[in-house]
Amino acid sequence: MHKKLEGKRVRIKAKGKIFEGIVMPSFTGNFVLKLDNGYNVGFKEYELVEVLEVEPFKPQLPELVKKEGLPDIKIISTGGTIASKVDYRTGAVTSQFTAEEIASEVPELTEVCNVDAELLYNILSENMKPDNWIELARHVYKALKDHEGVIITHGTDTMHFSAAALSFMLSTPKPVVFVGAQRSSDRPSSDAAMNLLCAAKAATEDIGEVTVCMHGSTSDDFCYVHRGVKVRKNHTSRRDAFQSVNAKPIAKIDYPSLGVEWLSWRYHRGERDLKLADRLERKVVLIKFFPGLSSDILDYYHSKGYRGFVIEGTGLGHVSTDWIDTLRKVCEDSVVVMTSQCLWGRVCDRVYDTGRDILRAGVIEGEDMLPEVALIKLMWLLGNYSVKESKEMVKRNLVGEIEPTTQY
Ligand code: GLU
């Protein structure tokens, strides 16, 4: 019954009152209505009063005229909260995310750039897979040939994984900017439009790398542009959930002026040639150590053919002494990188005995790399190089993932 009504405007009776709204997909078994104020309300029991006939939603779309002097920017949509308004208002995934649709949602965009658009996916980012990163990288590579920059709209949960994946796969002389939203655009507190505008500004600057542009504070006053290999989602719901870890953000973009303040000089300008190296090894794993975890977990993955291991160790980069023998065995034919679950700071296994044993077993210190970034770096290295070469290359800073000195 719910399924058949999805996307329809209905009037129901529940809790002694009449409610009107659009029937939403529900995964809990409750009947969920999106009310006109933008909020979703779930009902266990209800009585259907009426299915309302409504004119199919036809937005008034602006005609886009290319403006001389403004850069051409391509927006590639992949889904997530930033894409959710159009779905919910029509009650179905009917939007094609055309340039006209996007410009009608955020008209100020047309003052910053000439918008071109492509709908690649409409998926929640927890459903992204390495295959999607590869397909996305190919689409971005193609778009960069005839645009000044590319914006990728993306669900925020795994946006930093995708940004890291593209950072390794793509060498770019032009900006590639990931952007998302913590609140959908049908909510008054949405951050979608501001993030998108700031991302458009970032996409027109001389930044030759993959970045993430998101709210910098809990107010609507500025966004940060983060390096794709130094950024992480660090809060479940705050607008300023994304932070640069062990690095400064590249820039701050004020809102609404869109004035740019440069915060770091450590990023690529337009000096690199456009190149794509899109092979990724899937048999790479990230293991979070906790007190009492058995090293059998290493044996298990090793026996399944995994040759890339990233460990999220404690503190400076430790695991239990009980792990040393297994580590020594696994390191013989695999790359094992130690990162820290502290996230902030640098791994150093030369301070304590356990650390020195870990190094003697053949484990490589991941410096100040984020665990997820080390994981993707290993996927990329093992996809393109031998285990021996990968062991050497993982220590080197390839695209900004390792800072030479510890920040903060
Ligand atoms: N979990 C979803 C995703 O990451 C929605 C959250 C969001 O877009 O922020 O795609």
PDB file of all heavy atoms in Angstrom, residues 119-156:
ATOM      1  N   LEU A 119      24.248  14.027 -15.082  1.00  0.00           N
ATOM      2  CA  LEU A 119      23.836  13.139 -13.988  1.00  0.00           C
ATOM      3  C   LEU A 119      24.534  11.797 -14.192  1.00  0.00           C
ATOM      4  O   LEU A 119      24.249  11.088 -15.152  1.00  0.00           O
ATOM      5  CB  LEU A 119      22.316  12.951 -14.020  1.00  0.00           C
ATOM      6  CG  LEU A 119      21.756  11.862 -13.114  1.00  0.00           C
ATOM      7  CD1 LEU A 119      22.018  12.146 -11.646  1.00  0.00           C
ATOM      8  CD2 LEU A 119      20.257  11.699 -13.351  1.00  0.00           C
ATOM      9  N   LEU A 120      25.454  11.490 -13.293  1.00  0.00           N
ATOM     10  CA  LEU A 120      26.162  10.208 -13.426  1.00  0.00           C
ATOM     11  C   LEU A 120      25.469   9.141 -12.589  1.00  0.00           C
ATOM     12  O   LEU A 120      25.175   8.048 -13.056  1.00  0.00           O
ATOM     13  CB  LEU A 120      27.632  10.385 -13.010  1.00  0.00           C
ATOM     14  CG  LEU A 120      28.516   9.163 -13.103  1.00  0.00           C
ATOM     15  CD1 LEU A 120      28.555   8.590 -14.515  1.00  0.00           C
ATOM     16  CD2 LEU A 120      29.941   9.493 -12.635  1.00  0.00           C
ATOM     17  N   TYR A 121      25.213   9.464 -11.298  1.00  0.00           N
ATOM     18  CA  TYR A 121      24.485   8.536 -10.420  1.00  0.00           C
ATOM     19  C   TYR A 121      23.498   9.325  -9.582  1.00  0.00           C
ATOM     20  O   TYR A 121      23.648  10.539  -9.423  1.00  0.00           O
ATOM     21  CB  TYR A 121      25.424   7.856  -9.408  1.00  0.00           C
ATOM     22  CG  TYR A 121      26.654   7.227  -9.966  1.00  0.00           C
ATOM     23  CD1 TYR A 121      27.910   7.647  -9.529  1.00  0.00           C
ATOM     24  CD2 TYR A 121      26.573   6.198 -10.889  1.00  0.00           C
ATOM     25  CE1 TYR A 121      29.062   7.062 -10.014  1.00  0.00           C
ATOM     26  CE2 TYR A 121      27.724   5.610 -11.372  1.00  0.00           C
ATOM     27  CZ  TYR A 121      28.959   6.040 -10.935  1.00  0.00           C
ATOM     28  OH  TYR A 121      30.087   5.459 -11.415  1.00  0.00           O
ATOM     29  N   ASN A 122      22.566   8.605  -8.987  1.00  0.00           N
ATOM     30  CA  ASN A 122      21.808   9.214  -7.894  1.00  0.00           C
ATOM     31  C   ASN A 122      21.803   8.200  -6.765  1.00  0.00           C
ATOM     32  O   ASN A 122      20.833   7.518  -6.508  1.00  0.00           O
ATOM     33  CB  ASN A 122      20.390   9.564  -8.342  1.00  0.00           C
ATOM     34  CG  ASN A 122      19.786  10.580  -7.391  1.00  0.00           C
ATOM     35  OD1 ASN A 122      20.310  10.769  -6.288  1.00  0.00           O
ATOM     36  ND2 ASN A 122      18.728  11.229  -7.782  1.00  0.00           N
ATOM     37  N   ILE A 123      22.960   8.104  -6.118  1.00  0.00           N
ATOM     38  CA  ILE A 123      23.087   7.077  -5.068  1.00  0.00           C
ATOM     39  C   ILE A 123      23.589   7.698  -3.778  1.00  0.00           C
ATOM     40  O   ILE A 123      24.218   8.752  -3.785  1.00  0.00           O
ATOM     41  CB  ILE A 123      24.033   5.921  -5.498  1.00  0.00           C
ATOM     42  CG1 ILE A 123      25.418   6.428  -5.903  1.00  0.00           C
ATOM     43  CG2 ILE A 123      23.429   5.099  -6.583  1.00  0.00           C
ATOM     44  CD1 ILE A 123      26.374   5.304  -6.292  1.00  0.00           C
ATOM     45  N   LEU A 124      23.274   7.024  -2.690  1.00  0.00           N
ATOM     46  CA  LEU A 124      23.805   7.430  -1.397  1.00  0.00           C
ATOM     47  C   LEU A 124      25.269   6.993  -1.353  1.00  0.00           C
ATOM     48  O   LEU A 124      25.605   5.922  -1.866  1.00  0.00           O
ATOM     49  CB  LEU A 124      23.004   6.783  -0.271  1.00  0.00           C
ATOM     50  CG  LEU A 124      21.529   7.204  -0.254  1.00  0.00           C
ATOM     51  CD1 LEU A 124      20.758   6.411   0.779  1.00  0.00           C
ATOM     52  CD2 LEU A 124      21.399   8.690   0.015  1.00  0.00           C
ATOM     53  N   SER A 125      26.103   7.814  -0.737  1.00  0.00           N
ATOM     54  CA  SER A 125      27.536   7.570  -0.930  1.00  0.00           C
ATOM     55  C   SER A 125      28.036   6.318  -0.208  1.00  0.00           C
ATOM     56  O   SER A 125      29.100   5.811  -0.524  1.00  0.00           O
ATOM     57  CB  SER A 125      28.351   8.797  -0.547  1.00  0.00           C
ATOM     58  OG  SER A 125      28.385   8.982   0.835  1.00  0.00           O
ATOM     59  N   GLU A 126      27.249   5.786   0.748  1.00  0.00           N
ATOM     60  CA  GLU A 126      27.659   4.523   1.368  1.00  0.00           C
ATOM     61  C   GLU A 126      27.574   3.379   0.346  1.00  0.00           C
ATOM     62  O   GLU A 126      28.119   2.297   0.574  1.00  0.00           O
ATOM     63  CB  GLU A 126      26.835   4.199   2.632  1.00  0.00           C
ATOM     64  CG  GLU A 126      25.327   4.227   2.478  1.00  0.00           C
ATOM     65  CD  GLU A 126      24.737   5.609   2.741  1.00  0.00           C
ATOM     66  OE1 GLU A 126      25.353   6.610   2.353  1.00  0.00           O
ATOM     67  OE2 GLU A 126      23.633   5.681   3.318  1.00  0.00           O
ATOM     68  N   ASN A 127      26.894   3.623  -0.762  1.00  0.00           N
ATOM     69  CA  ASN A 127      26.805   2.595  -1.797  1.00  0.00           C
ATOM     70  C   ASN A 127      27.871   2.730  -2.879  1.00  0.00           C
ATOM     71  O   ASN A 127      27.883   1.968  -3.847  1.00  0.00           O
ATOM     72  CB  ASN A 127      25.414   2.636  -2.439  1.00  0.00           C
ATOM     73  CG  ASN A 127      24.340   2.224  -1.441  1.00  0.00           C
ATOM     74  OD1 ASN A 127      24.599   1.394  -0.576  1.00  0.00           O
ATOM     75  ND2 ASN A 127      23.171   2.814  -1.523  1.00  0.00           N
ATOM     76  N   MET A 128      28.737   3.726  -2.733  1.00  0.00           N
ATOM     77  CA  MET A 128      29.835   3.900  -3.704  1.00  0.00           C
ATOM     78  C   MET A 128      30.810   2.720  -3.581  1.00  0.00           C
ATOM     79  O   MET A 128      31.046   2.223  -2.475  1.00  0.00           O
ATOM     80  CB  MET A 128      30.612   5.177  -3.381  1.00  0.00           C
ATOM     81  CG  MET A 128      29.938   6.409  -3.871  1.00  0.00           C
ATOM     82  SD  MET A 128      30.470   6.754  -5.542  1.00  0.00           S
ATOM     83  CE  MET A 128      29.466   8.176  -5.890  1.00  0.00           C
ATOM     84  N   LYS A 129      31.383   2.346  -4.701  1.00  0.00           N
ATOM     85  CA  LYS A 129      32.360   1.251  -4.717  1.00  0.00           C
ATOM     86  C   LYS A 129      33.556   1.713  -5.548  1.00  0.00           C
ATOM     87  O   LYS A 129      33.430   2.670  -6.327  1.00  0.00           O
ATOM     88  CB  LYS A 129      31.755   0.015  -5.381  1.00  0.00           C
ATOM     89  CG  LYS A 129      30.404  -0.390  -4.832  1.00  0.00           C
ATOM     90  CD  LYS A 129      30.338  -1.849  -4.517  1.00  0.00           C
ATOM     91  CE  LYS A 129      29.173  -2.275  -3.659  1.00  0.00           C
ATOM     92  NZ  LYS A 129      28.051  -1.426  -3.455  1.00  0.00           N
ATOM     93  N   PRO A 130      34.696   1.021  -5.443  1.00  0.00           N
ATOM     94  CA  PRO A 130      35.841   1.405  -6.283  1.00  0.00           C
ATOM     95  C   PRO A 130      35.481   1.503  -7.768  1.00  0.00           C
ATOM     96  O   PRO A 130      35.997   2.366  -8.468  1.00  0.00           O
ATOM     97  CB  PRO A 130      36.867   0.297  -6.004  1.00  0.00           C
ATOM     98  CG  PRO A 130      36.571  -0.102  -4.592  1.00  0.00           C
ATOM     99  CD  PRO A 130      35.073  -0.015  -4.462  1.00  0.00           C
ATOM    100  N   ASP A 131      34.576   0.656  -8.247  1.00  0.00           N
ATOM    101  CA  ASP A 131      34.158   0.753  -9.656  1.00  0.00           C
ATOM    102  C   ASP A 131      33.557   2.127  -9.949  1.00  0.00           C
ATOM    103  O   ASP A 131      33.736   2.677 -11.035  1.00  0.00           O
ATOM    104  CB  ASP A 131      33.105  -0.316  -9.986  1.00  0.00           C
ATOM    105  CG  ASP A 131      33.747  -1.681 -10.157  1.00  0.00           C
ATOM    106  OD1 ASP A 131      34.976  -1.741 -10.291  1.00  0.00           O
ATOM    107  OD2 ASP A 131      32.998  -2.692 -10.128  1.00  0.00           O
ATOM    108  N   ASN A 132      32.800   2.668  -8.983  1.00  0.00           N
ATOM    109  CA  ASN A 132      32.207   3.994  -9.185  1.00  0.00           C
ATOM    110  C   ASN A 132      33.289   5.070  -9.208  1.00  0.00           C
ATOM    111  O   ASN A 132      33.206   6.021  -9.984  1.00  0.00           O
ATOM    112  CB  ASN A 132      31.210   4.324  -8.067  1.00  0.00           C
ATOM    113  CG  ASN A 132      30.073   3.343  -8.003  1.00  0.00           C
ATOM    114  OD1 ASN A 132      29.935   2.591  -7.056  1.00  0.00           O
ATOM    115  ND2 ASN A 132      29.253   3.325  -9.036  1.00  0.00           N
ATOM    116  N   TRP A 133      34.295   4.929  -8.333  1.00  0.00           N
ATOM    117  CA  TRP A 133      35.382   5.928  -8.322  1.00  0.00           C
ATOM    118  C   TRP A 133      36.070   5.949  -9.693  1.00  0.00           C
ATOM    119  O   TRP A 133      36.392   7.006 -10.225  1.00  0.00           O
ATOM    120  CB  TRP A 133      36.432   5.608  -7.254  1.00  0.00           C
ATOM    121  CG  TRP A 133      35.912   5.559  -5.847  1.00  0.00           C
ATOM    122  CD1 TRP A 133      34.821   6.207  -5.344  1.00  0.00           C
ATOM    123  CD2 TRP A 133      36.473   4.819  -4.752  1.00  0.00           C
ATOM    124  NE1 TRP A 133      34.670   5.912  -4.011  1.00  0.00           N
ATOM    125  CE2 TRP A 133      35.668   5.066  -3.621  1.00  0.00           C
ATOM    126  CE3 TRP A 133      37.582   3.984  -4.613  1.00  0.00           C
ATOM    127  CZ2 TRP A 133      35.938   4.518  -2.369  1.00  0.00           C
ATOM    128  CZ3 TRP A 133      37.854   3.423  -3.368  1.00  0.00           C
ATOM    129  CH2 TRP A 133      37.042   3.683  -2.260  1.00  0.00           C
ATOM    130  N   ILE A 134      36.257   4.749 -10.249  1.00  0.00           N
ATOM    131  CA  ILE A 134      36.948   4.665 -11.548  1.00  0.00           C
ATOM    132  C   ILE A 134      36.094   5.305 -12.643  1.00  0.00           C
ATOM    133  O   ILE A 134      36.570   6.121 -13.438  1.00  0.00           O
ATOM    134  CB  ILE A 134      37.279   3.191 -11.884  1.00  0.00           C
ATOM    135  CG1 ILE A 134      38.356   2.686 -10.921  1.00  0.00           C
ATOM    136  CG2 ILE A 134      37.721   3.030 -13.338  1.00  0.00           C
ATOM    137  CD1 ILE A 134      38.645   1.202 -10.997  1.00  0.00           C
ATOM    138  N   GLU A 135      34.811   4.961 -12.642  1.00  0.00           N
ATOM    139  CA  GLU A 135      33.927   5.532 -13.665  1.00  0.00           C
ATOM    140  C   GLU A 135      33.860   7.057 -13.520  1.00  0.00           C
ATOM    141  O   GLU A 135      33.926   7.800 -14.504  1.00  0.00           O
ATOM    142  CB  GLU A 135      32.531   4.912 -13.521  1.00  0.00           C
ATOM    143  CG  GLU A 135      31.619   5.284 -14.665  1.00  0.00           C
ATOM    144  CD  GLU A 135      30.285   4.539 -14.610  1.00  0.00           C
ATOM    145  OE1 GLU A 135      29.818   4.203 -13.511  1.00  0.00           O
ATOM    146  OE2 GLU A 135      29.718   4.317 -15.700  1.00  0.00           O
ATOM    147  N   LEU A 136      33.784   7.509 -12.258  1.00  0.00           N
ATOM    148  CA  LEU A 136      33.730   8.953 -11.994  1.00  0.00           C
ATOM    149  C   LEU A 136      35.022   9.624 -12.494  1.00  0.00           C
ATOM    150  O   LEU A 136      34.973  10.668 -13.151  1.00  0.00           O
ATOM    151  CB  LEU A 136      33.528   9.175 -10.487  1.00  0.00           C
ATOM    152  CG  LEU A 136      33.515  10.609  -9.985  1.00  0.00           C
ATOM    153  CD1 LEU A 136      32.409  11.421 -10.656  1.00  0.00           C
ATOM    154  CD2 LEU A 136      33.312  10.645  -8.458  1.00  0.00           C
ATOM    155  N   ALA A 137      36.161   9.021 -12.186  1.00  0.00           N
ATOM    156  CA  ALA A 137      37.448   9.594 -12.608  1.00  0.00           C
ATOM    157  C   ALA A 137      37.487   9.721 -14.137  1.00  0.00           C
ATOM    158  O   ALA A 137      37.962  10.726 -14.673  1.00  0.00           O
ATOM    159  CB  ALA A 137      38.602   8.732 -12.108  1.00  0.00           C
ATOM    160  N   ARG A 138      36.951   8.725 -14.824  1.00  0.00           N
ATOM    161  CA  ARG A 138      36.947   8.781 -16.297  1.00  0.00           C
ATOM    162  C   ARG A 138      36.069   9.923 -16.800  1.00  0.00           C
ATOM    163  O   ARG A 138      36.431  10.621 -17.746  1.00  0.00           O
ATOM    164  CB  ARG A 138      36.450   7.446 -16.875  1.00  0.00           C
ATOM    165  CG  ARG A 138      37.472   6.354 -16.682  1.00  0.00           C
ATOM    166  CD  ARG A 138      36.990   5.033 -17.238  1.00  0.00           C
ATOM    167  NE  ARG A 138      37.984   4.008 -16.966  1.00  0.00           N
ATOM    168  CZ  ARG A 138      37.734   2.706 -16.949  1.00  0.00           C
ATOM    169  NH1 ARG A 138      36.521   2.252 -17.193  1.00  0.00           N
ATOM    170  NH2 ARG A 138      38.700   1.849 -16.686  1.00  0.00           N
ATOM    171  N   HIS A 139      34.919  10.106 -16.154  1.00  0.00           N
ATOM    172  CA  HIS A 139      34.027  11.192 -16.577  1.00  0.00           C
ATOM    173  C   HIS A 139      34.657  12.556 -16.294  1.00  0.00           C
ATOM    174  O   HIS A 139      34.531  13.481 -17.088  1.00  0.00           O
ATOM    175  CB  HIS A 139      32.667  11.069 -15.869  1.00  0.00           C
ATOM    176  CG  HIS A 139      31.783  10.060 -16.521  1.00  0.00           C
ATOM    177  ND1 HIS A 139      30.628  10.391 -17.180  1.00  0.00           N
ATOM    178  CD2 HIS A 139      31.917   8.717 -16.637  1.00  0.00           C
ATOM    179  CE1 HIS A 139      30.077   9.289 -17.668  1.00  0.00           C
ATOM    180  NE2 HIS A 139      30.838   8.262 -17.344  1.00  0.00           N
ATOM    181  N   VAL A 140      35.331  12.675 -15.154  1.00  0.00           N
ATOM    182  CA  VAL A 140      35.972  13.955 -14.811  1.00  0.00           C
ATOM    183  C   VAL A 140      37.101  14.235 -15.799  1.00  0.00           C
ATOM    184  O   VAL A 140      37.241  15.354 -16.313  1.00  0.00           O
ATOM    185  CB  VAL A 140      36.511  13.923 -13.355  1.00  0.00           C
ATOM    186  CG1 VAL A 140      37.319  15.178 -13.056  1.00  0.00           C
ATOM    187  CG2 VAL A 140      35.363  13.788 -12.368  1.00  0.00           C
ATOM    188  N   TYR A 141      37.880  13.212 -16.089  1.00  0.00           N
ATOM    189  CA  TYR A 141      39.005  13.343 -17.033  1.00  0.00           C
ATOM    190  C   TYR A 141      38.488  13.877 -18.379  1.00  0.00           C
ATOM    191  O   TYR A 141      39.053  14.809 -18.953  1.00  0.00           O
ATOM    192  CB  TYR A 141      39.645  11.966 -17.185  1.00  0.00           C
ATOM    193  CG  TYR A 141      40.733  11.857 -18.223  1.00  0.00           C
ATOM    194  CD1 TYR A 141      41.988  12.417 -17.990  1.00  0.00           C
ATOM    195  CD2 TYR A 141      40.504  11.176 -19.418  1.00  0.00           C
ATOM    196  CE1 TYR A 141      42.998  12.302 -18.939  1.00  0.00           C
ATOM    197  CE2 TYR A 141      41.514  11.062 -20.366  1.00  0.00           C
ATOM    198  CZ  TYR A 141      42.750  11.628 -20.121  1.00  0.00           C
ATOM    199  OH  TYR A 141      43.738  11.515 -21.055  1.00  0.00           O
ATOM    200  N   LYS A 142      37.386  13.291 -18.841  1.00  0.00           N
ATOM    201  CA  LYS A 142      36.817  13.709 -20.121  1.00  0.00           C
ATOM    202  C   LYS A 142      36.318  15.162 -20.036  1.00  0.00           C
ATOM    203  O   LYS A 142      36.594  15.976 -20.910  1.00  0.00           O
ATOM    204  CB  LYS A 142      35.646  12.763 -20.445  1.00  0.00           C
ATOM    205  CG  LYS A 142      35.301  12.697 -21.876  1.00  0.00           C
ATOM    206  CD  LYS A 142      34.503  11.432 -22.193  1.00  0.00           C
ATOM    207  CE  LYS A 142      33.633  11.705 -23.379  1.00  0.00           C
ATOM    208  NZ  LYS A 142      32.208  11.775 -23.063  1.00  0.00           N
ATOM    209  N   ALA A 143      35.642  15.464 -18.929  1.00  0.00           N
ATOM    210  CA  ALA A 143      35.064  16.816 -18.781  1.00  0.00           C
ATOM    211  C   ALA A 143      36.162  17.882 -18.701  1.00  0.00           C
ATOM    212  O   ALA A 143      35.979  19.008 -19.161  1.00  0.00           O
ATOM    213  CB  ALA A 143      34.195  16.866 -17.534  1.00  0.00           C
ATOM    214  N   LEU A 144      37.303  17.533 -18.125  1.00  0.00           N
ATOM    215  CA  LEU A 144      38.378  18.521 -17.954  1.00  0.00           C
ATOM    216  C   LEU A 144      38.990  18.936 -19.293  1.00  0.00           C
ATOM    217  O   LEU A 144      39.646  19.974 -19.376  1.00  0.00           O
ATOM    218  CB  LEU A 144      39.472  17.969 -17.030  1.00  0.00           C
ATOM    219  CG  LEU A 144      39.127  17.957 -15.541  1.00  0.00           C
ATOM    220  CD1 LEU A 144      40.180  17.207 -14.739  1.00  0.00           C
ATOM    221  CD2 LEU A 144      38.953  19.371 -14.991  1.00  0.00           C
ATOM    222  N   LYS A 145      38.762  18.120 -20.311  1.00  0.00           N
ATOM    223  CA  LYS A 145      39.339  18.468 -21.620  1.00  0.00           C
ATOM    224  C   LYS A 145      38.687  19.711 -22.206  1.00  0.00           C
ATOM    225  O   LYS A 145      39.322  20.449 -22.936  1.00  0.00           O
ATOM    226  CB  LYS A 145      39.198  17.284 -22.591  1.00  0.00           C
ATOM    227  CG  LYS A 145      40.082  16.143 -22.145  1.00  0.00           C
ATOM    228  CD  LYS A 145      40.127  15.043 -23.158  1.00  0.00           C
ATOM    229  CE  LYS A 145      41.183  14.045 -22.714  1.00  0.00           C
ATOM    230  NZ  LYS A 145      41.109  12.791 -23.414  1.00  0.00           N
ATOM    231  N   ASP A 146      37.405  19.926 -21.923  1.00  0.00           N
ATOM    232  CA  ASP A 146      36.775  21.117 -22.497  1.00  0.00           C
ATOM    233  C   ASP A 146      36.034  21.975 -21.470  1.00  0.00           C
ATOM    234  O   ASP A 146      35.088  22.681 -21.801  1.00  0.00           O
ATOM    235  CB  ASP A 146      35.862  20.730 -23.671  1.00  0.00           C
ATOM    236  CG  ASP A 146      34.905  19.615 -23.303  1.00  0.00           C
ATOM    237  OD1 ASP A 146      34.850  19.259 -22.109  1.00  0.00           O
ATOM    238  OD2 ASP A 146      34.208  19.108 -24.205  1.00  0.00           O
ATOM    239  N   HIS A 147      36.446  21.888 -20.195  1.00  0.00           N
ATOM    240  CA  HIS A 147      35.900  22.792 -19.176  1.00  0.00           C
ATOM    241  C   HIS A 147      37.050  23.324 -18.334  1.00  0.00           C
ATOM    242  O   HIS A 147      38.103  22.689 -18.243  1.00  0.00           O
ATOM    243  CB  HIS A 147      34.902  22.057 -18.265  1.00  0.00           C
ATOM    244  CG  HIS A 147      33.665  21.621 -18.978  1.00  0.00           C
ATOM    245  ND1 HIS A 147      33.608  20.468 -19.717  1.00  0.00           N
ATOM    246  CD2 HIS A 147      32.445  22.205 -19.090  1.00  0.00           C
ATOM    247  CE1 HIS A 147      32.400  20.347 -20.248  1.00  0.00           C
ATOM    248  NE2 HIS A 147      31.680  21.392 -19.884  1.00  0.00           N
ATOM    249  N   GLU A 148      36.807  24.453 -17.680  1.00  0.00           N
ATOM    250  CA  GLU A 148      37.866  25.048 -16.844  1.00  0.00           C
ATOM    251  C   GLU A 148      37.944  24.392 -15.467  1.00  0.00           C
ATOM    252  O   GLU A 148      38.911  24.568 -14.734  1.00  0.00           O
ATOM    253  CB  GLU A 148      37.615  26.554 -16.657  1.00  0.00           C
ATOM    254  CG  GLU A 148      37.725  27.360 -17.934  1.00  0.00           C
ATOM    255  CD  GLU A 148      38.942  26.972 -18.737  1.00  0.00           C
ATOM    256  OE1 GLU A 148      40.045  26.989 -18.162  1.00  0.00           O
ATOM    257  OE2 GLU A 148      38.785  26.613 -19.916  1.00  0.00           O
ATOM    258  N   GLY A 149      36.899  23.692 -15.103  1.00  0.00           N
ATOM    259  CA  GLY A 149      36.888  23.021 -13.800  1.00  0.00           C
ATOM    260  C   GLY A 149      35.694  22.092 -13.723  1.00  0.00           C
ATOM    261  O   GLY A 149      34.769  22.175 -14.542  1.00  0.00           O
ATOM    262  N   VAL A 150      35.737  21.190 -12.729  1.00  0.00           N
ATOM    263  CA  VAL A 150      34.632  20.238 -12.556  1.00  0.00           C
ATOM    264  C   VAL A 150      34.197  20.251 -11.091  1.00  0.00           C
ATOM    265  O   VAL A 150      35.038  20.300 -10.189  1.00  0.00           O
ATOM    266  CB  VAL A 150      35.070  18.807 -12.966  1.00  0.00           C
ATOM    267  CG1 VAL A 150      34.015  17.781 -12.587  1.00  0.00           C
ATOM    268  CG2 VAL A 150      35.346  18.742 -14.459  1.00  0.00           C
ATOM    269  N   ILE A 151      32.886  20.232 -10.886  1.00  0.00           N
ATOM    270  CA  ILE A 151      32.324  20.098  -9.535  1.00  0.00           C
ATOM    271  C   ILE A 151      31.631  18.740  -9.479  1.00  0.00           C
ATOM    272  O   ILE A 151      30.914  18.371 -10.416  1.00  0.00           O
ATOM    273  CB  ILE A 151      31.284  21.207  -9.260  1.00  0.00           C
ATOM    274  CG1 ILE A 151      31.952  22.583  -9.295  1.00  0.00           C
ATOM    275  CG2 ILE A 151      30.581  20.985  -7.928  1.00  0.00           C
ATOM    276  CD1 ILE A 151      30.956  23.731  -9.217  1.00  0.00           C
ATOM    277  N   ILE A 152      31.849  18.023  -8.383  1.00  0.00           N
ATOM    278  CA  ILE A 152      31.171  16.727  -8.218  1.00  0.00           C
ATOM    279  C   ILE A 152      30.271  16.843  -6.997  1.00  0.00           C
ATOM    280  O   ILE A 152      30.769  17.066  -5.889  1.00  0.00           O
ATOM    281  CB  ILE A 152      32.193  15.591  -8.015  1.00  0.00           C
ATOM    282  CG1 ILE A 152      33.117  15.504  -9.230  1.00  0.00           C
ATOM    283  CG2 ILE A 152      31.488  14.264  -7.779  1.00  0.00           C
ATOM    284  CD1 ILE A 152      34.435  14.840  -8.930  1.00  0.00           C
ATOM    285  N   THR A 153      28.976  16.717  -7.192  1.00  0.00           N
ATOM    286  CA  THR A 153      28.083  16.719  -6.029  1.00  0.00           C
ATOM    287  C   THR A 153      27.980  15.272  -5.540  1.00  0.00           C
ATOM    288  O   THR A 153      27.847  14.341  -6.345  1.00  0.00           O
ATOM    289  CB  THR A 153      26.694  17.300  -6.363  1.00  0.00           C
ATOM    290  OG1 THR A 153      26.097  16.495  -7.374  1.00  0.00           O
ATOM    291  CG2 THR A 153      26.810  18.721  -6.872  1.00  0.00           C
ATOM    292  N   HIS A 154      28.049  15.108  -4.212  1.00  0.00           N
ATOM    293  CA  HIS A 154      28.299  13.772  -3.660  1.00  0.00           C
ATOM    294  C   HIS A 154      27.705  13.682  -2.258  1.00  0.00           C
ATOM    295  O   HIS A 154      27.684  14.665  -1.520  1.00  0.00           O
ATOM    296  CB  HIS A 154      29.831  13.619  -3.570  1.00  0.00           C
ATOM    297  CG  HIS A 154      30.345  12.226  -3.455  1.00  0.00           C
ATOM    298  ND1 HIS A 154      30.221  11.481  -2.310  1.00  0.00           N
ATOM    299  CD2 HIS A 154      31.024  11.446  -4.329  1.00  0.00           C
ATOM    300  CE1 HIS A 154      30.795  10.300  -2.494  1.00  0.00           C
ATOM    301  NE2 HIS A 154      31.286  10.245  -3.717  1.00  0.00           N
ATOM    302  N   GLY A 155      27.260  12.510  -1.857  1.00  0.00           N
ATOM    303  CA  GLY A 155      26.862  12.288  -0.465  1.00  0.00           C
ATOM    304  C   GLY A 155      28.064  12.513   0.434  1.00  0.00           C
ATOM    305  O   GLY A 155      29.198  12.209   0.052  1.00  0.00           O
ATOM    306  N   THR A 156      27.800  13.047   1.626  1.00  0.00           N
ATOM    307  CA  THR A 156      28.950  13.460   2.444  1.00  0.00           C
ATOM    308  C   THR A 156      29.629  12.289   3.170  1.00  0.00           C
ATOM    309  O   THR A 156      30.805  12.383   3.492  1.00  0.00           O
ATOM    310  CB  THR A 156      28.525  14.503   3.493  1.00  0.00           C
ATOM    311  OG1 THR A 156      27.509  13.938   4.313  1.00  0.00           O
ATOM    312  CG2 THR A 156      28.048  15.767   2.838  1.00  0.00           C
TER     313      THR A 156
END
